Amino acid sequence: LKILSGCSQWNYRNKVQLLDAEILSYEGRNDEAKEAYASAIASAQCFRLVHEQGLACERAGFHFKKIKDRKSACDIFHQAKQCYA
């Protein structure tokens, strides 16, 4: 995906960032994961990929839930719901 991202940033950049965020979350690198989720959300939003923005928000919500940040989880799940509506 990183190679494809170089050819078509608008379509692949948010996917690469989301996968990076998932890996960072899995590895317990929570601050870096938060930044990567935020980048994936912003990238999808920038290119108006609303359903992919919703997916990134949803995955970020699960990350926040995992690290026991309930307020952030609730806020980001609400944002995901708005993307899917």
Side-chain angles (χ1 to χ4, degrees), residues 16 22 32 58-59 63 79 84:
V16 170
E22 290 288 299
E32 293 171 87
E58 189 177 340
R59 296 305 308 158
H63 169 74
Q79 189 178 342
Y84 293 139

Short mmCIF file of all heavy atoms in Angstrom, two decimals, residues 16 22 32 58-59 63 79 84:
data_model
loop_
_atom_site.label_atom_id
_atom_site.label_comp_id
_atom_site.label_asym_id
_atom_site.label_seq_id
_atom_site.Cartn_x
_atom_site.Cartn_y
_atom_site.Cartn_z
N VAL A 16 -2.88 3.59 4.53
CA VAL A 16 -1.55 3.34 5.08
C VAL A 16 -1.47 3.87 6.51
O VAL A 16 -0.98 3.18 7.41
CB VAL A 16 -0.46 3.99 4.19
CG1 VAL A 16 0.90 3.95 4.86
CG2 VAL A 16 -0.41 3.30 2.83
N GLU A 22 -2.98 0.93 13.56
CA GLU A 22 -3.36 -0.37 14.12
C GLU A 22 -2.13 -1.12 14.64
O GLU A 22 -2.17 -1.73 15.71
CB GLU A 22 -4.08 -1.21 13.06
CG GLU A 22 -5.47 -0.70 12.70
CD GLU A 22 -6.47 -0.94 13.81
OE1 GLU A 22 -6.72 -2.10 14.18
OE2 GLU A 22 -6.99 0.06 14.33
N GLU A 32 1.85 7.36 19.85
CA GLU A 32 2.09 7.32 18.41
C GLU A 32 0.85 6.83 17.67
O GLU A 32 0.52 7.32 16.59
CB GLU A 32 3.28 6.43 18.08
CG GLU A 32 4.61 6.97 18.59
CD GLU A 32 5.72 5.94 18.44
OE1 GLU A 32 6.33 5.92 17.35
OE2 GLU A 32 5.94 5.17 19.39
N GLU A 58 -13.88 4.69 13.93
CA GLU A 58 -14.31 3.49 14.64
C GLU A 58 -13.10 2.75 15.24
O GLU A 58 -13.10 2.37 16.41
CB GLU A 58 -15.07 2.58 13.68
CG GLU A 58 -15.74 1.41 14.31
CD GLU A 58 -16.53 0.61 13.29
OE1 GLU A 58 -16.88 1.12 12.21
OE2 GLU A 58 -16.80 -0.56 13.61
N ARG A 59 -12.07 2.56 14.45
CA ARG A 59 -10.88 1.86 14.93
C ARG A 59 -10.18 2.68 16.03
O ARG A 59 -9.69 2.13 17.00
CB ARG A 59 -9.92 1.57 13.78
CG ARG A 59 -10.47 0.62 12.72
CD ARG A 59 -10.96 -0.70 13.27
NE ARG A 59 -9.95 -1.34 14.10
CZ ARG A 59 -10.20 -2.25 15.03
NH1 ARG A 59 -11.42 -2.64 15.28
NH2 ARG A 59 -9.20 -2.77 15.73
N HIS A 63 -9.35 1.74 19.97
CA HIS A 63 -8.04 1.97 20.59
C HIS A 63 -8.22 2.71 21.92
O HIS A 63 -7.65 2.31 22.94
CB HIS A 63 -7.13 2.77 19.65
CG HIS A 63 -5.89 3.25 20.31
ND1 HIS A 63 -4.84 2.40 20.62
CD2 HIS A 63 -5.53 4.48 20.75
CE1 HIS A 63 -3.88 3.09 21.21
NE2 HIS A 63 -4.27 4.36 21.30
N GLN A 79 -18.36 10.46 16.31
CA GLN A 79 -17.92 10.96 15.02
C GLN A 79 -18.06 9.89 13.93
O GLN A 79 -18.48 10.18 12.81
CB GLN A 79 -16.47 11.45 15.11
CG GLN A 79 -15.97 12.18 13.91
CD GLN A 79 -14.55 12.68 14.07
OE1 GLN A 79 -14.02 12.79 15.18
NE2 GLN A 79 -13.90 12.98 12.97
N TYR A 84 -21.24 7.47 9.12
CA TYR A 84 -22.03 6.38 8.55
C TYR A 84 -23.48 6.76 8.31
O TYR A 84 -24.20 6.05 7.62
CB TYR A 84 -21.98 5.14 9.45
CG TYR A 84 -20.61 4.50 9.54
CD1 TYR A 84 -20.13 4.03 10.76
CD2 TYR A 84 -19.82 4.33 8.42
CE1 TYR A 84 -18.88 3.42 10.85
CE2 TYR A 84 -18.57 3.73 8.50
CZ TYR A 84 -18.12 3.27 9.72
OH TYR A 84 -16.89 2.66 9.80
#
